[in-house]
Amino acid sequence: MRIKMLVNVRPDLPFLSKPGTILRAGEEYEATANAHGAISGICSNGAALGVKPGEFIFLEAPAWVLHLWAGVWPPALPGGALQ
């Protein structure tokens, strides 16, 4: 799965995270999803950082993830309003 960030995302508690834990706006990242469809981008330092609707768009994702997100935040889907 791949996502493109629309905004910079940093940890809520940066002093508890590894240096370099950031997802930068305009950059593409590998990502993972849990069973409920929550998305985490993989930072350049290898840390996973959760992202929220409106912070990213999908570049590619499994059909089941896209199906879940179609009901949550359709603009993030490939070809959506945020593309």
Side-chain angles (χ1 to χ4, degrees):
M1 179 175 351
R2 291 195 56 77
I3 60 173
K4 181 175 181 180
M5 297 304 300
L6 301 175
V7 297
N8 289 338
V9 174
R10 299 174 190 269
D12 290 336
L13 302 171
F15 56 89
L16 295 178
S17 62
K18 296 190 317 187
T21 302
I22 183 172
L23 298 170
R24 297 186 187 281
E27 298 291 325
E28 297 179 9
Y29 295 92
E30 291 295 319
T32 61
N34 71 11
H36 304 286
I39 307 298
S40 294
I42 308 301
C43 302
S44 59
N45 68 359
L49 190 56
V51 292
K52 300 178 221 168
E55 295 179 337
F56 71 99
I57 54 173
F58 288 103
L59 298 177
E60 53 187 58
W64 70 269
V65 171
L66 297 177
H67 177 74
L68 285 173
W69 277 80
V72 175
W73 191 252
L77 302 180
L82 299 177
Q83 297 289 315

